[in-house]
């Protein structure tokens, strides 16, 4: 087989993996990986496929004589930043993002076999350049309320003036795969990936406390939606990117504002909050009726004009009141039902990054005979 060592070595280095780490991911020995990179050993097709799985590339790309894409700069990506974006993105997290992009391609293929989602994200997508960095939150509130109204027009699952019990169900209805994975970077809450023509993918970081609990997880998922609906371009995931960019920070502020306005549009909240409520009663009503954390409800009440800035600070500082009122009842973000592969004769453990909408698509395609049992097992176990 032709010499591909240099291309493989460059991709490994761009991810930031050591030879030992690639050996572990591929199942090869470090000696074999080193020999392949230096073109001093004979590369078999099985080894090339193993390295393709480890470094997330299609072996056919090399066989066609084409260059491998930059592992840290992929087109059509929309990535959630964090306040501490000076932190270099670990190689294992970059690999998860690359795998998410590949799974998006698989998801689009499966959708073509079993049918498209009830409502495509492409119908809702409308790139909106950030007009005013100083008032990004205002743009976010406007875009969130507008997206909710548009969704209500197109899909009966979202009803006017009614709370959304499951943000994940809404995302899946418009063809977005949501997966909960463990990232090495605990401060990164979520990542959104969408290549043109592929299925959008949102990765939620289980190592983040905001993802482990239902109410904050609602906000995190709703926060990712504007990245897919309104943001554009590609993201440089290079470890040399040390400083957060003002534009990226403003986009995050806009997304932070989009989330509560999408979950509980301001006009709905103002209509439902009792006219003679105390500030504490109003905040609790918002939290309980719309599925917010208490802190999130305080900020939303302030931003929709129900309480003023001084009252906001007082409520946030009132530890005794917050401790008495922390339990928010309601079945928010229930676990969505999934078919068990074993019920379909597939003895395989579903990988966390595949669990969700993609898992459902795989089992639908297998049940209809569109893909083989072997192919179904292979996709379900991808990690």
């Amino acid at each position: 087989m032709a010499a591909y060592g240099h291309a493989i070595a460059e991709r490994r280095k761009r991810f930031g993996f050591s030879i030992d780490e690639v050996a572990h991911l591929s199942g090869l020995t470090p000696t074999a990986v080193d020999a392949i990179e230096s073109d001093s050993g004979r590369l078999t097709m099985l080894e090339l496929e193993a390295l393709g799985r480890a470094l997330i590339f299609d072996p056919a790309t090399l066989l066609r004589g084409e260059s491998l894409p930059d592992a840290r700069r992929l087109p059509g990506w929309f990535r959630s930043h964090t306040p501490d974006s000076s932190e270099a993105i670990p190689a294992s997290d970059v690999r998860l993002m690359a795998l998410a992009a590949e799974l998006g391609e698989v998801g689009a293929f499966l959708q073509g076999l079993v049918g498209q989602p009830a409502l495509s994200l492409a119908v809702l997508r409308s790139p909106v350049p950030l007009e005013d960095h100083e008032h990004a939150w205002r743009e976010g509130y406007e875009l969130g309320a507008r997206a909710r109204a548009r969704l209500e027009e197109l899909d009966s699952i979202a009803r006017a003036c009614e709370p959304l019990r499951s943000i994940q169900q809404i995302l899946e209805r418009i063809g977005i795969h949501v997966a909960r994975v463990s990232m090495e970077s605990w401060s990164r809450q979520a990542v959104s990936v969408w290549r043109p023509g592929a299925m959008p993918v949102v990765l939620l970081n289980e190592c983040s406390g905001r993802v482990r609990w239902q109410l904050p997880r609602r906000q995190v998922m709703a926060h990712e939606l504007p990245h897919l609906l309104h943001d554009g371009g590609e993201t440089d995931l290079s470890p040399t990117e040390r400083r957060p960019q003002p534009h990226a920070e403003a986009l995050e502020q806009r997304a932070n504002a989009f989330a509560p306005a999408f979950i509980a549009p301001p006009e709905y909240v103002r209509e439902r909050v009792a006219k003679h409520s105390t500030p504490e009663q109003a905040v609790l009503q918002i939290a309980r009726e719309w599925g917010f954390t208490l802190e999130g409800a305080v900020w939303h009440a302030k931003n929709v004009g129900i309480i003023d800035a001084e009252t906001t600070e007082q409520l946030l500082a009132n530890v005794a009141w917050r401790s008495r009122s922390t339990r928010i009842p309601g079945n928010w973000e229930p676990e969505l039902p999934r078919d068990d592969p074993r019920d379909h004769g597939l003895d395989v453990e579903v990988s966390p990054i595949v669990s969700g909408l993609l898992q459902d698509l795989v089992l639908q395609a297998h049940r209809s005979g569109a893909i083989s049992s072997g192919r179904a097992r292979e996709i379900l176990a991808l990690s």
Side-chain angles (χ1 to χ4, degrees), residues 15-235:
F15 269 118
F17 284 126
S18 68
I19 286 179
D20 285 348
E21 287 170 326
V22 171
H24 174 73
L25 289 168
S26 64
L28 304 178
T29 66
T31 301
V33 174
D34 185 54
I36 290 167
E37 289 191 358
S38 61
D39 290 321
S40 59
R42 180 176 175 271
L43 174 62
T44 68
M45 192 64 211
L46 288 177
E47 289 173 330
L48 183 59
E49 289 175 349
L51 290 169
R53 288 192 298 272
L55 296 173
I56 318 299
F57 68 84
D58 183 358
T61 303
L62 290 180
L63 296 175
R64 290 193 299 265
E66 301 172 5
S67 299
L68 296 178
D70 187 338
R72 285 185 176 261
R73 190 173 186 87
L74 298 180
W77 282 48
F78 311 87
R79 183 174 67 81
S80 174
H81 297 253
T82 62
D84 183 21
S85 56
S86 60
E87 170 193 4
I89 303 174
S92 59
D93 290 354
V94 178
R95 183 181 180 276
L96 273 177
M97 298 177 199
L99 180 56
E102 292 299 315
L103 288 174
E105 304 277 3
V106 173
F109 171 74
L110 293 171
Q111 285 172 335
L113 294 177
V114 303
Q116 296 299 317
L119 177 64
S120 171
L121 180 65
V123 175
L124 296 169
R125 177 160 165 74
S126 174
V128 179
L130 186 64
E131 295 181 0
D132 186 351
H133 286 200
E134 295 298 319
H135 298 97
W137 69 270
R138 185 178 301 161
E139 286 187 34
Y141 260 81
E142 292 172 356
L143 290 172
R146 193 185 308 164
R148 174 65 181 269
R150 179 66 172 150
L151 184 64
E152 290 170 2
E153 290 175 8
L154 297 172
D155 197 328
S156 61
I157 195 173
R159 298 178 180 178
C161 293
E162 294 295 323
L164 303 174
R165 289 285 164 187
S166 173
I167 301 300
Q168 180 167 347
Q169 185 180 36
I170 294 294
L171 297 185
E172 291 190 5
R173 287 277 290 188
I174 56 179
I176 301 173
H177 173 57
V178 180
R180 286 151 66 177
V181 299
S182 294
M183 297 184 187
E184 185 176 338
S185 174
W186 60 268
S187 63
R188 185 162 287 104
Q189 296 171 9
V191 174
S192 300
V193 181
W194 191 14
R195 280 176 172 169
M199 182 175 70
V201 177
V202 171
L203 300 181
L204 303 177
N205 184 7
E206 287 273 51
C207 295
S208 167
R210 286 181 57 79
V211 169
R212 289 195 296 270
W213 299 100
Q214 288 96 327
L215 293 179
R217 185 164 70 242
R218 289 165 59 76
Q219 298 284 327
V220 173
M221 287 188 286
H223 170 106
E224 293 304 305
L225 187 53
H227 290 312
L228 296 169
L229 287 176
H230 304 306
D231 298 348
E234 56 183 25
T235 300

Side-chain angles (χ1 to χ4, degrees), residues 235-258:
T235 300
D236 188 353
L237 305 178
S238 169
T240 60
E241 183 185 34
R242 296 297 184 187
R243 293 182 177 274
Q245 299 299 316
H247 184 72
E249 289 182 327
L251 285 176
E252 287 303 295
Q253 187 180 19
R254 186 170 80 170
N256 284 337
F258 176 103

Side-chain angles (χ1 to χ4, degrees), residues 268-286 289-290 306:
Y268 296 172
V269 173
R270 287 190 287 263
E271 286 176 6
R272 292 177 64 132
V273 169
K275 300 301 181 185
H276 303 293
S277 299
T278 65
E280 291 86 352
Q281 290 170 337
V283 167
L284 282 172
Q285 183 180 350
I286 292 171
E289 289 192 5
W290 298 95
I306 292 175

Side-chain angles (χ1 to χ4, degrees), residues 337-356:
R338 304 289 177 199
D339 282 350
D340 189 330
R342 288 169 293 190
D343 294 338
H344 299 265
L346 300 171
D347 187 14
V348 60
E349 183 176 350
V350 180
S351 167
I353 200 170
V354 177
S355 179

